[in-house]
Amino acid sequence: RFLSLFLAVLMLSSVAGCTKEEKGEMSSPPSEYLIAQAEYPETIPYPDEKASNFSDAYGIWENARRSRWSEYKNIDTIQLAGFFESSIPQFLLENDSANPAYSPLNVYMALGMLAELTDGNSRRQILDLLGSSNIKEVRTQTSAIWKANYNDDGATAAILGSSLWLNEDIPFNQPVMDILADYYYASSYRGEMGAAGFDEELQNWLNDQTGGFLEEQASQIKMEPDTVMTLASTVYFSAKWQRRFKEENTEKMTFHAPDGDILCDFMNKKKASGTYYWGDRFTAVYLPFDSRTFEKMWFILPDEDTTPEELLADPQVMDLLFDNSGWKNYKSLLINMAIPKFDVTSQTDLCDGLKALGITDVFDSTVSDFSPMTSMEEIILSKAQHDVRVVIDEEGCTAAAYTVMVAAGGAMPPTEEVDFIADRPFLFAITSYDFLPLFVGIVNQPQQ
Protein backbone atom coordinates (compact mmCIF):
# COMPACT_ATOMS: atom_id res chain seq x y z
CA ARG A 1 0.00 0.00 0.00
CA PHE A 2 1.09 3.56 -0.58
CA LEU A 3 0.79 5.60 2.51
CA SER A 4 1.68 8.99 3.81
CA LEU A 5 0.89 10.35 7.17
CA PHE A 6 1.52 12.96 9.75
CA LEU A 7 1.72 12.51 13.50
CA ALA A 8 1.67 15.56 15.74
CA VAL A 9 1.58 15.21 19.49
CA LEU A 10 1.21 18.28 21.68
CA MET A 11 1.72 17.60 25.37
CA LEU A 12 0.60 20.00 28.09
CA SER A 13 2.28 19.82 31.46
CA SER A 14 2.13 21.67 34.76
CA VAL A 15 5.93 21.56 34.96
CA ALA A 16 8.93 21.26 32.63
CA GLY A 17 9.61 23.59 29.75
CA CYS A 18 10.05 22.83 26.06
CA THR A 19 13.63 22.11 25.04
CA LYS A 20 15.27 21.00 21.82
CA GLU A 21 16.09 17.67 23.43
CA GLU A 22 12.39 16.77 23.78
CA LYS A 23 11.96 15.37 20.28
CA GLY A 24 10.19 13.30 20.63
CA GLU A 25 -13.81 3.44 10.13
CA MET A 26 -10.84 3.43 12.72
CA SER A 27 -10.99 1.45 15.93
CA SER A 28 -11.26 3.27 19.27
CA PRO A 29 -9.91 2.74 22.79
CA PRO A 30 -12.16 1.13 25.41
CA SER A 31 -15.31 3.11 26.18
CA GLU A 32 -14.33 3.54 29.83
CA TYR A 33 -11.89 6.28 28.76
CA LEU A 34 -14.25 8.11 26.40
CA ILE A 35 -15.84 11.40 27.43
CA ALA A 36 -16.62 12.94 24.00
CA GLN A 37 -17.03 10.98 20.76
CA ALA A 38 -16.43 12.46 17.30
CA GLU A 39 -18.73 11.06 14.62
CA TYR A 40 -17.02 10.59 11.26
CA PRO A 41 -19.10 11.03 8.10
CA GLU A 42 -19.98 7.93 6.13
CA THR A 43 -18.10 7.64 2.85
CA ILE A 44 -19.89 5.91 -0.01
CA PRO A 45 -17.59 3.12 -1.31
CA TYR A 46 -16.32 3.34 -4.86
CA PRO A 47 -18.47 0.83 -6.78
CA ASP A 48 -17.28 -2.42 -8.34
CA GLU A 49 -16.49 -1.58 -11.96
CA LYS A 50 -17.42 -5.13 -13.01
CA ALA A 51 -20.87 -5.04 -11.40
CA SER A 52 -23.95 -4.87 -13.61
CA ASN A 53 -25.27 -1.81 -11.76
CA PHE A 54 -21.94 0.05 -11.93
CA SER A 55 -23.38 3.03 -13.84
CA ASP A 56 -26.10 3.73 -11.27
CA ALA A 57 -23.77 3.10 -8.33
CA TYR A 58 -21.13 5.37 -9.85
CA GLY A 59 -23.68 8.18 -10.16
CA ILE A 60 -24.46 7.92 -6.45
CA TRP A 61 -20.75 7.87 -5.58
CA GLU A 62 -20.04 10.85 -7.86
CA ASN A 63 -22.82 12.95 -6.32
CA ALA A 64 -21.47 12.19 -2.84
CA ARG A 65 -17.97 13.16 -3.96
CA ARG A 66 -19.15 16.48 -5.40
CA SER A 67 -21.09 17.20 -2.24
CA ARG A 68 -17.94 16.67 -0.19
CA TRP A 69 -15.87 18.89 -2.46
CA SER A 70 -18.46 21.63 -2.18
CA GLU A 71 -16.95 22.30 1.25
CA TYR A 72 -13.96 23.88 -0.50
CA LYS A 73 -16.03 26.98 -1.17
CA ASN A 74 -16.06 27.55 2.62
CA ILE A 75 -12.25 27.52 2.83
CA ASP A 76 -10.52 30.90 2.71
CA THR A 77 -7.25 29.91 1.00
CA ILE A 78 -5.99 33.50 1.02
CA GLN A 79 -6.33 33.57 4.79
CA LEU A 80 -4.46 30.27 5.05
CA ALA A 81 -1.62 31.42 2.79
CA GLY A 82 0.22 33.36 5.48
CA PHE A 83 0.45 30.32 7.75
CA PHE A 84 1.64 28.07 4.94
CA GLU A 85 4.23 30.55 3.70
CA SER A 86 5.73 31.14 7.13
CA SER A 87 5.56 27.65 8.59
CA ILE A 88 6.85 25.61 5.62
CA PRO A 89 10.37 27.11 5.50
CA GLN A 90 10.45 27.42 9.29
CA PHE A 91 9.90 23.71 9.95
CA LEU A 92 11.71 22.31 6.92
CA LEU A 93 14.85 24.41 7.30
CA GLU A 94 15.24 23.77 11.04
CA ASN A 95 14.74 20.01 10.59
CA ASP A 96 18.04 18.13 10.70
CA SER A 97 16.60 14.95 9.13
CA ALA A 98 18.27 13.74 5.92
CA ASN A 99 14.90 14.18 4.18
CA PRO A 100 12.85 16.80 6.07
CA ALA A 101 9.08 16.56 5.57
CA TYR A 102 6.12 18.47 6.97
CA SER A 103 2.33 18.50 6.77
CA PRO A 104 1.19 22.15 6.87
CA LEU A 105 -2.50 21.36 6.73
CA ASN A 106 -2.39 19.04 9.70
CA VAL A 107 -0.31 21.34 11.89
CA TYR A 108 -2.94 23.97 11.12
CA MET A 109 -5.61 21.58 12.41
CA ALA A 110 -3.62 20.81 15.58
CA LEU A 111 -3.04 24.50 16.32
CA GLY A 112 -6.72 25.23 15.74
CA MET A 113 -7.54 22.74 18.47
CA LEU A 114 -4.89 24.27 20.74
CA ALA A 115 -6.50 27.69 20.21
CA GLU A 116 -9.81 26.28 21.49
CA LEU A 117 -8.07 25.24 24.71
CA THR A 118 -6.51 28.66 25.35
CA ASP A 119 -7.67 32.23 25.86
CA GLY A 120 -6.33 35.77 26.14
CA ASN A 121 -2.97 36.48 24.56
CA SER A 122 -2.17 32.76 24.41
CA ARG A 123 -5.04 32.32 21.97
CA ARG A 124 -4.33 35.61 20.18
CA GLN A 125 -0.80 34.49 19.28
CA ILE A 126 -2.11 31.23 17.79
CA LEU A 127 -4.86 33.03 15.86
CA ASP A 128 -2.33 35.51 14.46
CA LEU A 129 -0.19 32.68 13.10
CA LEU A 130 -3.27 30.97 11.64
CA GLY A 131 -4.35 34.22 9.99
CA SER A 132 -7.72 34.38 11.79
CA SER A 133 -9.33 37.26 13.64
CA ASN A 134 -11.38 35.10 16.01
CA ILE A 135 -11.94 31.50 17.07
CA LYS A 136 -15.19 31.20 15.08
CA GLU A 137 -13.23 31.73 11.87
CA VAL A 138 -10.88 28.91 12.85
CA ARG A 139 -13.83 26.60 13.55
CA THR A 140 -15.34 27.36 10.15
CA GLN A 141 -12.01 26.81 8.37
CA THR A 142 -11.00 23.61 10.15
CA SER A 143 -14.45 22.05 9.82
CA ALA A 144 -14.54 22.81 6.07
CA ILE A 145 -10.96 21.57 5.59
CA TRP A 146 -11.78 18.33 7.39
CA LYS A 147 -14.97 17.67 5.44
CA ALA A 148 -13.45 18.57 2.07
CA ASN A 149 -10.37 16.39 2.46
CA TYR A 150 -11.65 13.38 4.40
CA ASN A 151 -12.16 10.35 2.17
CA ASP A 152 -12.15 6.59 2.71
CA ASP A 153 -14.04 5.10 -0.23
CA GLY A 154 -11.77 2.15 -1.01
CA ALA A 155 -10.23 3.88 -4.03
CA THR A 156 -8.45 6.74 -2.27
CA ALA A 157 -7.77 7.28 1.41
CA ALA A 158 -7.29 10.70 2.97
CA ILE A 159 -8.09 10.04 6.60
CA LEU A 160 -7.79 12.78 9.20
CA GLY A 161 -7.99 11.97 12.90
CA SER A 162 -7.73 13.93 16.17
CA SER A 163 -8.00 13.10 19.85
CA LEU A 164 -7.37 14.48 23.33
CA TRP A 165 -6.03 12.44 26.25
CA LEU A 166 -6.90 13.99 29.61
CA ASN A 167 -5.61 13.53 33.16
CA GLU A 168 -8.33 11.89 35.25
CA ASP A 169 -7.28 13.86 38.36
CA ILE A 170 -7.85 17.26 36.77
CA PRO A 171 -11.26 18.90 36.10
CA PHE A 172 -11.99 19.70 32.44
CA ASN A 173 -14.73 21.76 30.82
CA GLN A 174 -17.00 19.35 28.96
CA PRO A 175 -18.47 22.01 26.59
CA VAL A 176 -14.99 22.59 25.13
CA MET A 177 -14.53 18.87 24.57
CA ASP A 178 -17.89 18.85 22.76
CA ILE A 179 -16.80 21.76 20.52
CA LEU A 180 -13.65 19.84 19.59
CA ALA A 181 -15.75 16.79 18.72
CA ASP A 182 -18.19 18.82 16.62
CA TYR A 183 -15.82 21.07 14.66
CA TYR A 184 -12.49 19.21 14.74
CA TYR A 185 -13.78 15.62 14.81
CA ALA A 186 -11.70 15.02 17.93
CA SER A 187 -12.67 12.38 20.48
CA SER A 188 -11.62 12.91 24.11
CA TYR A 189 -10.39 10.24 26.53
CA ARG A 190 -9.61 10.43 30.21
CA GLY A 191 -7.40 8.18 32.28
CA GLU A 192 -4.42 7.79 34.59
CA MET A 193 -1.42 9.69 33.26
CA GLY A 194 1.80 7.72 33.42
CA ALA A 195 -0.03 4.39 33.54
CA ALA A 196 1.18 1.83 31.01
CA GLY A 197 -2.40 0.97 30.03
CA PHE A 198 -3.31 4.56 29.14
CA ASP A 199 -0.07 4.99 27.18
CA GLU A 200 -0.83 1.80 25.27
CA GLU A 201 -4.30 3.04 24.35
CA LEU A 202 -2.83 6.26 22.93
CA GLN A 203 -0.21 4.30 20.97
CA ASN A 204 -2.89 1.94 19.66
CA TRP A 205 -5.03 4.89 18.58
CA LEU A 206 -2.10 6.41 16.71
CA ASN A 207 -1.35 3.11 14.97
CA ASP A 208 -5.02 2.55 14.10
CA GLN A 209 -5.28 6.01 12.56
CA THR A 210 -2.07 5.65 10.55
CA GLY A 211 -2.26 2.00 9.53
CA GLY A 212 0.79 1.17 11.67
CA PHE A 213 2.93 3.19 9.27
CA LEU A 214 4.70 5.01 12.12
CA GLU A 215 4.56 2.19 14.65
CA GLU A 216 8.16 2.61 15.84
CA GLN A 217 7.70 6.33 16.42
CA ALA A 218 4.32 5.87 18.10
CA SER A 219 5.79 3.36 20.54
CA GLN A 220 7.97 6.15 21.94
CA ILE A 221 5.00 8.40 22.79
CA LYS A 222 4.42 8.22 26.53
CA MET A 223 2.58 10.43 29.01
CA GLU A 224 4.16 11.40 32.33
CA PRO A 225 2.23 11.53 35.65
CA ASP A 226 2.31 15.36 35.54
CA THR A 227 0.90 15.52 32.00
CA VAL A 228 -2.33 17.54 31.94
CA MET A 229 -3.37 16.70 28.37
CA THR A 230 -2.01 15.19 25.17
CA LEU A 231 -3.41 16.38 21.84
CA ALA A 232 -2.87 14.05 18.88
CA SER A 233 -3.64 14.80 15.23
CA THR A 234 -3.03 12.45 12.29
CA VAL A 235 -3.32 12.22 8.51
CA TYR A 236 -3.22 9.02 6.47
CA PHE A 237 -3.08 9.35 2.69
CA SER A 238 -3.07 6.53 0.12
CA ALA A 239 -3.57 6.78 -3.64
CA LYS A 240 -2.36 5.26 -6.89
CA TRP A 241 -0.95 7.13 -9.83
CA GLN A 242 -3.38 7.86 -12.62
CA ARG A 243 -0.82 6.29 -14.98
CA ARG A 244 1.45 3.88 -13.18
CA PHE A 245 5.11 3.33 -13.87
CA LYS A 246 6.09 -0.01 -15.42
CA GLU A 247 8.38 -2.00 -13.16
CA GLU A 248 10.40 -3.24 -16.13
CA ASN A 249 11.40 0.37 -16.83
CA THR A 250 12.80 0.89 -13.33
CA GLU A 251 16.60 0.95 -13.39
CA LYS A 252 19.59 1.80 -11.24
CA MET A 253 20.79 5.35 -11.81
CA THR A 254 23.09 7.78 -10.01
CA PHE A 255 21.61 10.29 -7.59
CA HIS A 256 23.91 13.21 -6.76
CA ALA A 257 23.27 13.47 -3.01
CA PRO A 258 24.86 16.19 -0.85
CA ASP A 259 27.20 13.64 0.74
CA GLY A 260 28.21 11.99 -2.53
CA ASP A 261 26.79 10.02 -5.44
CA ILE A 262 24.62 6.97 -4.72
CA LEU A 263 22.93 4.34 -6.86
CA CYS A 264 19.18 4.00 -6.42
CA ASP A 265 16.10 2.81 -8.29
CA PHE A 266 14.65 5.35 -10.72
CA MET A 267 11.14 4.98 -12.15
CA ASN A 268 11.08 5.92 -15.82
CA LYS A 269 8.54 7.07 -18.37
CA LYS A 270 9.53 7.86 -21.94
CA LYS A 271 7.68 10.36 -24.12
CA ALA A 272 4.81 10.68 -21.62
CA SER A 273 2.33 13.45 -22.32
CA GLY A 274 2.41 16.02 -19.56
CA THR A 275 2.76 19.64 -18.57
CA TYR A 276 6.22 21.07 -18.01
CA TYR A 277 6.62 24.15 -15.78
CA TRP A 278 9.62 26.39 -15.27
CA GLY A 279 10.68 29.36 -13.20
CA ASP A 280 13.82 31.45 -12.85
CA ARG A 281 15.64 28.78 -10.81
CA PHE A 282 13.73 25.53 -11.26
CA THR A 283 11.69 23.23 -13.46
CA ALA A 284 8.69 21.20 -12.32
CA VAL A 285 6.23 18.48 -13.28
CA TYR A 286 3.36 16.87 -11.45
CA LEU A 287 1.88 13.40 -11.39
CA PRO A 288 -1.90 13.16 -10.91
CA PHE A 289 -3.32 10.45 -8.73
CA ASP A 290 -6.09 8.15 -9.91
CA SER A 291 -8.59 9.93 -12.19
CA ARG A 292 -11.26 9.74 -9.49
CA THR A 293 -9.42 12.40 -7.47
CA PHE A 294 -7.83 15.79 -8.08
CA GLU A 295 -4.88 15.40 -5.70
CA LYS A 296 -1.50 15.56 -7.38
CA MET A 297 2.15 15.23 -6.47
CA TRP A 298 4.61 17.87 -7.62
CA PHE A 299 8.32 17.42 -8.20
CA ILE A 300 10.31 20.67 -8.23
CA LEU A 301 13.89 20.32 -9.46
CA PRO A 302 16.23 23.23 -8.64
CA ASP A 303 18.67 24.40 -11.28
CA GLU A 304 22.15 22.99 -10.76
CA ASP A 305 23.40 26.13 -9.00
CA THR A 306 20.39 26.23 -6.63
CA THR A 307 19.47 24.12 -3.58
CA PRO A 308 15.98 23.02 -2.50
CA GLU A 309 16.45 25.05 0.67
CA GLU A 310 16.97 28.22 -1.39
CA LEU A 311 13.76 27.52 -3.30
CA LEU A 312 11.77 27.53 -0.05
CA ALA A 313 12.08 31.33 -0.04
CA ASP A 314 11.20 31.65 -3.73
CA PRO A 315 7.70 33.13 -4.19
CA GLN A 316 7.54 31.57 -7.66
CA VAL A 317 7.51 28.10 -6.11
CA MET A 318 4.75 29.00 -3.71
CA ASP A 319 2.71 30.51 -6.51
CA LEU A 320 3.13 27.48 -8.75
CA LEU A 321 2.00 25.01 -6.11
CA PHE A 322 -0.92 26.73 -4.47
CA ASP A 323 -2.48 29.13 -6.95
CA ASN A 324 -1.06 28.69 -10.43
CA SER A 325 -4.06 30.15 -12.27
CA GLY A 326 -1.89 33.05 -13.45
CA TRP A 327 1.21 30.97 -14.17
CA LYS A 328 2.48 31.61 -17.71
CA ASN A 329 5.62 29.50 -17.95
CA TYR A 330 4.29 26.09 -18.84
CA LYS A 331 3.88 23.95 -21.91
CA SER A 332 2.32 20.61 -22.83
CA LEU A 333 5.13 18.36 -24.00
CA LEU A 334 6.34 14.81 -24.28
CA ILE A 335 8.36 14.33 -21.08
CA ASN A 336 11.11 11.78 -20.52
CA MET A 337 10.76 11.42 -16.77
CA ALA A 338 13.04 9.74 -14.24
CA ILE A 339 11.97 9.92 -10.58
CA PRO A 340 13.78 8.04 -7.79
CA LYS A 341 11.71 5.74 -5.60
CA PHE A 342 11.90 6.87 -2.00
CA ASP A 343 10.86 5.97 1.52
CA VAL A 344 11.69 8.89 3.77
CA THR A 345 11.01 9.56 7.43
CA SER A 346 11.33 12.80 9.32
CA GLN A 347 10.90 13.96 12.91
CA THR A 348 10.58 17.59 13.97
CA ASP A 349 10.48 19.20 17.39
CA LEU A 350 8.01 22.02 16.75
CA CYS A 351 8.70 23.98 19.95
CA ASP A 352 11.43 26.35 18.77
CA GLY A 353 9.70 26.88 15.44
CA LEU A 354 6.41 27.82 17.09
CA LYS A 355 8.21 30.31 19.31
CA ALA A 356 9.98 31.80 16.28
CA LEU A 357 6.58 32.14 14.58
CA GLY A 358 5.19 34.13 17.51
CA ILE A 359 3.55 31.50 19.75
CA THR A 360 5.37 32.05 23.05
CA ASP A 361 2.86 32.45 25.89
CA VAL A 362 1.80 28.79 25.98
CA PHE A 363 5.38 27.88 26.86
CA ASP A 364 5.53 30.25 29.87
CA SER A 365 3.61 29.28 33.00
CA THR A 366 3.52 32.90 34.24
CA VAL A 367 1.43 34.09 31.28
CA SER A 368 -0.12 30.99 29.66
CA ASP A 369 -3.92 30.87 29.67
CA PHE A 370 -5.65 27.48 29.33
CA SER A 371 -8.80 28.59 31.17
CA PRO A 372 -11.28 27.34 28.50
CA MET A 373 -9.97 23.82 29.11
CA THR A 374 -9.64 23.69 32.90
CA SER A 375 -9.60 25.79 36.06
CA MET A 376 -6.11 24.49 36.84
CA GLU A 377 -3.41 27.17 36.55
CA GLU A 378 0.26 27.25 35.52
CA ILE A 379 -0.09 24.92 32.55
CA ILE A 380 2.47 25.03 29.74
CA LEU A 381 3.03 23.33 26.40
CA SER A 382 5.96 21.03 27.17
CA LYS A 383 6.30 19.00 23.96
CA ALA A 384 5.33 19.33 20.32
CA GLN A 385 6.51 16.52 18.05
CA HIS A 386 5.95 16.01 14.35
CA ASP A 387 6.69 12.68 12.61
CA VAL A 388 6.27 12.11 8.89
CA ARG A 389 6.88 9.24 6.49
CA VAL A 390 6.48 9.44 2.72
CA VAL A 391 6.73 6.56 0.24
CA ILE A 392 6.47 6.40 -3.54
CA ASP A 393 6.94 3.52 -5.98
CA GLU A 394 5.66 2.39 -9.38
CA GLU A 395 2.07 1.95 -8.16
CA GLY A 396 1.41 5.03 -6.10
CA CYS A 397 2.67 7.62 -3.69
CA THR A 398 2.27 9.63 -0.50
CA ALA A 399 2.97 13.06 0.99
CA ALA A 400 4.01 16.37 -0.36
CA ALA A 401 2.84 19.91 0.30
CA TYR A 402 4.15 23.43 -0.13
CA THR A 403 3.07 27.01 0.34
CA VAL A 404 4.11 29.36 -2.42
CA MET A 405 3.67 32.89 -3.96
CA VAL A 406 3.18 33.93 -7.66
CA ALA A 407 5.92 35.01 -10.15
CA ALA A 408 7.30 33.92 -13.55
CA GLY A 409 10.32 34.01 -15.78
CA GLY A 410 12.94 31.83 -17.49
CA ALA A 411 13.72 30.44 -20.93
CA MET A 412 11.33 28.56 -23.23
CA PRO A 413 11.80 24.75 -23.21
CA PRO A 414 12.23 22.64 -26.37
CA THR A 415 9.24 22.60 -28.70
CA GLU A 416 8.19 18.97 -28.58
CA GLU A 417 10.10 16.99 -25.97
CA VAL A 418 11.96 17.57 -22.70
CA ASP A 419 13.86 15.55 -20.08
CA PHE A 420 12.98 15.78 -16.38
CA ILE A 421 15.62 13.80 -14.51
CA ALA A 422 15.37 14.20 -10.72
CA ASP A 423 18.94 13.01 -10.06
CA ARG A 424 19.82 15.62 -7.44
CA PRO A 425 18.06 16.95 -4.31
CA PHE A 426 14.53 18.15 -5.08
CA LEU A 427 11.32 19.36 -3.47
CA PHE A 428 8.07 17.43 -3.48
CA ALA A 429 4.54 18.45 -2.59
CA ILE A 430 1.10 16.84 -2.51
CA THR A 431 -1.73 19.29 -3.02
CA SER A 432 -5.46 18.76 -2.71
CA TYR A 433 -8.39 19.64 -4.97
CA ASP A 434 -8.17 23.32 -4.05
CA PHE A 435 -4.34 23.60 -3.87
CA LEU A 436 -4.19 22.98 -0.11
CA PRO A 437 -0.80 21.55 0.95
CA LEU A 438 -1.21 18.12 2.49
CA PHE A 439 2.53 17.38 2.56
CA VAL A 440 5.79 19.03 1.54
CA GLY A 441 9.40 17.94 1.79
CA ILE A 442 12.95 17.70 0.47
CA VAL A 443 14.56 14.51 -0.85
CA ASN A 444 18.31 14.51 -0.28
CA GLN A 445 18.78 10.76 0.17
CA PRO A 446 16.26 8.60 -1.75
CA GLN A 447 15.84 4.92 -1.02
CA GLN A 448 18.97 2.94 -1.97
Side-chain angles (χ1 to χ4, degrees), residues 32-76:
E32 64 208 65
Y33 295 112
L34 186 66
I35 64 171
Q37 176 68 63
E39 295 186 9
Y40 283 21
E42 181 181 356
T43 304
I44 296 178
Y46 184 76
D48 182 357
E49 295 180 353
K50 297 180 181 179
S52 59
N53 66 337
F54 172 75
S55 180
D56 291 339
Y58 182 86
I60 295 173
W61 174 86
E62 174 71 7
N63 288 335
R65 180 184 69 162
R66 292 187 180 280
S67 176
R68 185 173 70 250
W69 284 344
S70 68
E71 289 291 337
Y72 276 110
K73 68 179 184 296
N74 298 320
I75 299 174
D76 187 341

Side-chain angles (χ1 to χ4, degrees), residues 89-105:
Q90 179 68 52
F91 292 124
L92 286 183
L93 292 177
E94 76 170 20
N95 190 322
D96 58 5
S97 302
N99 302 292
Y102 168 57
S103 175
L105 199 60

